[in-house]
C-alpha cells in the first residue's frame, strides 16, 4: 500500500515520521537539521512537519531533478517518469481534498514544496505548479462526476493538465478573450486559439476559458477539454529562452465538440474561476523563484570561496561580501512576503488578491536579480551552459510575465490600496 506525505503525517507522530519510497517500502526519514546558523535557512518559522515536507521535496529535487536539469533543458525533454515519481510523494494534487486522491495540504505547505523542488529544476517544478492549479480548479468547482473521473489520475500524474486562458490577442486583458463555446444540444462547440499553453500537446486535460455569453468577464465560462476531442489540435512547439523541460504550444479549437457536462462551475463563472486559480498560481510561481534564488546563492557562495584573483579568493573582497549580503537579504524578505501571502490565501483573507500580487511582484523581481547577481559573481563562467546558474537565471525570467505580468500586479495592488 502506498502513502502520500499527508497520510503518513496523520498516522504517525512527529518523532517517528516516515515517507513512502517508490519500492513500496516505508523508509525512516529523520527530520534532518537545517543549517540553523545560516541566515537564509528555509526552515525558519516552519513546524517540524513542514520541515519534513520541505526536506522530502528537497531530497527529491537533489536526487531526481538536479542531475537531469541540464539534459532536460538542452534536449527539451518532458520528464513524465520523474513527474509521476513526484506524484507518489503527494505532489500531484497538493491542495486538493483527499476523497479523490488529493494530498490535503495547505497553501503554505504547497509553497515550501515548490520552493524545495525548484532547487532541482525550476522548469519542471513550474509545470507541476500549473498542473496543481488545474487539479484544484476541478476539485473546487467541478461536479462530483468530474472530480471522480479526473482527480485520481491527476493526483497520480498518470494524466497531466494544462490551464488555457491566454490568446494571441488577449494577454493582460484576459476578459477580452474570443474563444467561443456555443451550446448545441448536449455539447459545446468550441472555436478559437489559446497561446503559450504549458504542456500543450502533452497534457491530457485542458481547462479552457471560453465565451459562452456576452462580452466582458461575465460572459466567460470554464470548460474541461480532453486530449483527443474532435476538433482539438496543437501548434508547433515554441522555442523558448527557458522552461524547456515543458512544451509550450498553441491549443487550437476548430468546431471542437465537448460534452456540456464538462462545464466547470456554472456558465458565466469562468473568469472568476480563472482568477481564483491564478491567485494560487502566483504564490506557486513566486515560490519557484525562491528555490532558484536560494540555489543560485549557494552556487555563488561556493564559487567565491575557491575562485582566486589577485592571489586572493573572491570571498575576501568586500564588494563580493556586500553583494552576497544584499542577495541574502532579498531572499529572506521575498520568502517572508510569499509565505505571508500563502497563509492569507489559505485563510481567505479579504486582501488576499493584493497580497498574492505583492508576493508575486516582489519575489519574482527580487529573485531574478539574485540569479543575475549570482551569474555576475561567476564572471565569464556563469555565462557557460556548463554552469547551472545561467539556467536558473533563464528559467525564472518568465516569472515576471506569466500568471499575470508584474505590471498587472502593480495595478491590482494599487487598486486595493486606493479603494480601502
Amino acid at each position: 500500500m502506498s502513502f502520500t506525505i499527508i497520510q503518513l503525517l496523520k498516522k504517525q507522530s512527529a518523532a517517528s515520521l516516515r515517507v513512502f519510497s517508490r519500492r513500496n517500502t516505508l523508509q525512516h526519514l529523520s527530520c534532518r537539521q537545517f543549517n540553523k546558523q545560516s541566515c537564509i535557512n528555509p526552515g525558519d518559522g516552519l513546524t517540524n512537519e513542514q520541515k519534513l515536507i520541505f526536506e522530502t521535496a528537497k531530497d527529491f529535487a537533489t536526487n531526481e531533478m538536479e542531475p537531469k536539469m541540464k539534459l532536460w533543458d538542452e534536449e527539451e525533454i518532458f520528464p513524465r517518469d520523474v513527474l509521476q515519481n513526484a506524484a507518489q510523494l503527494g505532489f500531484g494534487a497538493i491542495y486538493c481534498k483527499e476523497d479523490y486522491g488529493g494530498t490535503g495540504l495547505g497553501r503554505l505547505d504547497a509553497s515550501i514544496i515548490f520552493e524545495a523542488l525548484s532547487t532541482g529544476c525550476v522548469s519542471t517544478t513550474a509545470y507541476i505548479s500549473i498542473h496543481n492549479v488545474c487539479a484544484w480548479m476541478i476539485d473546487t468547482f467541478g461536479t462530483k462526476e468530474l472530480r471522480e473521473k479526473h482527480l485520481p489520475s491527476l493526483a497520480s500524474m498518470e494524466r497531466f493538465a494544462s490551464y488555457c486562458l491566454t490568446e494571441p490577442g488577449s494577454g493582460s486583458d484576459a476578459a477580452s478573450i474570443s474563444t467561443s463555446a456555443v451550446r448545441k444540444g448536449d455539447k459545446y462547440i468550441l472555436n478559437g486559439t489559446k497561446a503559450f499553453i504549458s504542456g500543450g500537446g502533452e497534457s491530457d486535460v485542458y481547462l479552457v476559458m471560453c465565451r459562452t455569453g456576452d462580452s466582458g468577464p461575465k460572459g466567460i465560462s470554464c470548460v474541461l477539454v480532453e486530449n483527443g476531442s474532435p476538433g482539438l489540435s496543437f501548434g508547433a512547439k515554441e522555442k523558448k529562452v527557458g522552461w524547456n523541460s515543458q512544451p509550450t504550444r498553441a491549443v487550437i479549437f476548430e468546431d471542437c465538440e465537448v460534452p456540456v457536462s464538462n462545464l466547470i462551475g456554472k456558465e458565466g463563472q469562468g473568469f472568476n474561476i480563472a482568477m481564483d486559480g491564478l491567485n494560487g498560481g502566483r504564490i506557486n510561481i513566486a515560490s519557484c523563484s525562491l528555490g532558484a534564488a536560494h540555489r543560485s546563492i549557494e552556487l555563488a557562495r561556493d564559487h567565491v570561496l575557491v575562485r582566486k584573483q589577485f592571489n586572493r579568493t573572491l570571498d575576501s573582497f568586500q564588494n563580493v561580501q556586500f553583494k552576497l549580503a544584499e542577495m541574502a537579504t532579498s531572499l529572506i524578505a521575498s520568502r517572508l512576503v510569499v509565505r505571508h501571502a500563502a497563509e492569507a490565501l489559505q485563510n481567505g483573507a479579504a486582501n488576499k488578491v493584493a497580497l498574492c500580487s505583492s508576493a508575486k511582484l516582489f519575489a519574482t523581481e527580487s529573485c531574478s536579480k539574485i540569479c543575475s547577481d549570482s551569474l555576475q559573481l561567476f564572471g565569464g563562467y556563469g555565462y557557460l551552459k556548463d554552469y547551472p546558474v545561467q539556467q536558473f537565471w533563464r528559467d525564472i525570467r518568465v516569472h515576471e510575465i506569466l500568471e499575470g505580468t508584474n505590471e498587472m500586479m502593480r495595478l491590482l495592488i494599487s487598486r486595493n490600496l486606493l479603494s480601502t
Side-chain angles (χ1 to χ4, degrees):
M1 180 180 181
S2 64
F3 295 88
T4 63
I5 292 173
I6 188 63
Q7 289 167 328
L8 284 163
L9 287 175
K10 289 181 176 179
K11 286 178 179 290
Q12 303 182 57
S13 68
S16 61
L17 292 170
R18 298 173 184 270
V19 294
F20 175 65
S21 78
R22 282 177 298 283
R23 292 184 296 277
N24 293 332
T25 60
L26 290 175
Q27 299 176 335
H28 181 67
L29 179 64
S30 60
C31 195
R32 222 184 269 100
Q33 291 292 321
F34 287 85
N35 185 352
K36 294 180 180 179
Q37 294 181 340
S38 173
C39 62
I40 61 169
N41 171 19
D44 284 346
L46 300 182
T47 66
N48 286 337
E49 290 182 354
Q50 288 169 336
K51 289 177 183 178
L52 174 61
I53 291 171
F54 184 94
E55 277 297 303
T56 302
K58 183 64 170 66
D59 284 350
F60 185 86
T62 299
N63 295 321
E64 297 218 28
M65 298 173 74
E66 190 170 12
K68 304 167 187 174
M69 181 178 89
K70 181 173 183 288
L71 176 68
W72 294 341
D73 175 67
E74 292 181 346
E75 298 189 10
E76 299 185 1
I77 295 171
F78 184 60
R80 286 177 169 269
D81 56 338
V82 173
L83 292 170
Q84 289 166 353
N85 290 344
Q88 290 186 14
L89 294 174
F91 300 156
I94 297 170
Y95 43 91
C96 292
K97 294 182 284 293
E98 296 177 72
D99 52 350
Y100 291 112
T103 308
L105 292 172
R107 298 303 183 126
L108 177 55
D109 303 314
S111 173
I112 63 179
I113 288 169
F114 292 132
E115 177 180 351
L117 291 178
S118 285
T119 64
C121 181
V122 172
S123 172
T124 305
T125 304
Y127 180 78
I128 296 174
S129 82
I130 295 167
H131 174 93
N132 269 267
V133 168
C134 294
W136 175 83
M137 290 166 65
I138 296 170
D139 188 44
T140 303
F141 300 102
T143 62
K144 180 179 183 295
E145 291 73 22
L146 288 174
R147 294 179 68 240
E148 184 176 16
K149 177 180 179 180
H150 294 287
L151 286 176
S153 59
L154 293 178
S156 67
M157 285 192 152
E158 177 187 346
R159 305 177 80 211
F160 299 102
S162 289
Y163 177 96
C164 302
L165 175 63
T166 300
E167 297 181 358
S170 173
S172 293
D173 186 10
S176 69
I177 63 168
S178 60
T179 295
S180 63
V182 177
R183 183 166 181 169
K184 292 188 177 180
D186 62 352
K187 294 181 180 179
Y188 286 114
I189 308 301
L190 274 65
N191 282 282
T193 300
K194 296 295 181 178
F196 308 126
I197 304 305
S198 294
E202 292 284 349
S203 289
D204 305 281
V205 171
Y206 298 86
L207 296 192
V208 182
M209 308 321 133
C210 47
R211 190 161 298 286
T212 54
D214 295 335
S215 60
K218 293 183 179 180
I220 296 172
S221 299
C222 178
V223 175
L224 186 155
V225 181
E226 295 189 63
N227 203 346
S229 297
L232 173 66
S233 62
F234 306 95
K237 187 163 76 168
E238 305 287 0
K239 302 295 290 184
K240 307 189 298 289
V241 172
W243 273 32
N244 288 319
S245 69
Q246 50 168 296
T248 300
R249 294 184 175 92
V251 179
I252 303 164
F253 308 96
E254 297 174 300
D255 292 330
C256 178
E257 299 181 1
V258 181
V260 169
S261 58
N262 280 18
L263 177 69
I264 303 293
K266 300 177 182 178
E267 283 198 3
Q269 194 180 3
F271 186 80
N272 289 337
I273 291 172
M275 295 303 106
D276 284 346
L278 281 180
N279 286 330
R282 287 162 186 161
I283 296 296
N284 297 350
I285 215 65
S287 303
C288 291
S289 294
L290 294 176
H294 189 109
R295 188 68 184 122
S296 294
I297 289 176
E298 291 180 333
L299 292 168
R301 175 203 60 199
D302 293 346
H303 177 74
V304 301
L305 285 169
V306 297
R307 172 67 171 168
K308 287 186 176 181
Q309 288 293 281
F310 306 103
N311 297 316
R312 299 161 57 189
T313 53
L314 296 185
D315 67 293
S316 66
F317 291 95
Q318 193 176 61
N319 68 311
V320 172
Q321 296 168 4
F322 283 7
K323 178 57 68 178
L324 287 171
E326 291 168 1
M327 293 158 64
T329 302
S330 291
L331 175 59
I332 295 165
S334 296
R335 184 178 284 139
L336 290 171
V337 171
V338 171
R339 293 181 179 180
H340 174 60
E343 290 186 320
L345 181 60
Q346 180 67 34
N347 295 330
N351 58 354
K352 63 185 179 182
V353 173
L355 290 178
C356 291
S357 301
S358 297
K360 197 263 188 184
L361 168 64
F362 187 80
T364 58
E365 292 189 357
S366 297
C367 292
S368 185
K369 186 175 187 304
I370 289 170
C371 291
S372 178
D373 288 343
S374 295
L375 191 154
Q376 187 72 19
L377 288 173
F378 272 84
Y381 291 105
Y383 207 63
L384 301 179
K385 289 195 173 181
D386 293 329
Y387 293 81
V389 68
Q390 52 77 31
Q391 188 172 337
F392 286 115
W393 174 60
R394 286 188 291 111
D395 278 344
I396 73 164
R397 179 58 183 86
V398 73
H399 295 186
E400 299 175 50
I401 300 171
L402 48 77
E403 309 288 30
T405 66
N406 281 8
E407 288 72 26
M408 289 302 297
M409 298 306 98
R410 289 175 167 88
L411 179 63
L412 292 170
I413 297 162
S414 61
R415 183 181 295 167
N416 170 270
L417 186 63
L418 294 170
S419 65
T420 54

